[in-house]
Structure formats: C-alpha cells, structure tokens
Amino acid sequence: MNAAKLITISPGHSAELLQQALAEKGVTADVHDGYGLALVSVWVGLVVWCDGQQFWWRTGWNAARRRVVYAWHPAIDPVRAAHRVAMLYADLRAAHPATGPLAEFIRGVES
C-alpha cells in the first residue's frame, strides 16, 4: 500500500501567494519568513501562519474549553484562503476600527 504524498511548497512562497491574493481583494498584508515558517500579518489580531502545507489563523476563543479556535486551509489554494481571510479581516475592521496614529497611517497607505 502506498502512503499519500503531501504537497509542500516553500512557506515563504506560499505566504507571498496569499499576500498577492489578498492584495487583489484590497487587503494589504506583510510577509515574514524564516525558520521553516512564514507569517502573513493582516490586521491587529489577524496573523496567518504557513508551513508550506497549510495556512492557519485564529478565529476566536472557546470559553468552555479555554482554548483558541483556529481555521486552516491548504497552502496549495491561496486564492480561496485569501477569500476566507479577507472576510474575517472585514469583520475585524468593522468591530475594531483603527484610531489615532494607526488610523492616520492607514489613511496614508490606502490613499
């Protein structure tokens, strides 16, 4: 019996593809790569991790189990992952709008 092979690409490359897909949706993000893991910083409280096999990000808190709830998506599909992340981004921006210096910086970047 043959074992299934996992499709893995560079975490940094996967993160860059996610960043590009987010940019197409109007979402600015930064990529940080190193030590076999890449991070895509999207918004305050929204960071997407990538190990080359999957993306994952925090979506909430389970009070009953006292643990963080994560969503994940295969790294070979950054476009659909970007769609899911962009929806959460919109929710976070609506719930926690930027104020002060952060708001001024965002206005400068988005204009």
Side-chain angles (χ1 to χ4, degrees):
M1 178 178 236
N2 292 335
K5 292 183 180 180
L6 292 175
I7 297 172
T8 303
I9 57 177
S10 159
H13 184 65
S14 297
E16 289 170 357
L17 292 174
L18 178 64
Q19 179 188 36
Q20 292 169 6
L22 286 167
E24 290 176 8
K25 295 184 172 300
V27 178
T28 303
D30 295 321
V31 173
H32 308 277
D33 181 23
Y35 303 101
L37 190 68
L39 305 175
V40 181
S41 177
V42 181
W43 186 249
V44 177
L46 180 54
V47 176
V48 181
W49 292 268
C50 182
D51 63 0
Q53 294 178 4
Q54 63 186 4
F55 298 109
W56 66 95
W57 58 94
R58 183 178 173 167
T59 59
W61 177 256
N62 183 326
R65 293 185 175 193
R66 299 175 66 192
R67 63 185 348 172
V68 176
V69 177
Y70 290 95
W72 70 273
H73 199 88
I76 61 171
D77 189 7
V79 173
R80 289 190 68 184
H83 177 74
R84 294 177 65 194
V85 171
M87 289 190 307
L88 180 56
Y89 167 79
D91 291 344
L92 289 173
R93 278 201 68 169
H96 306 287
T99 59
L102 178 60
E104 294 172 19
F105 173 76
I106 291 171
R107 278 193 295 274
V109 170
E110 291 181 342
S111 58

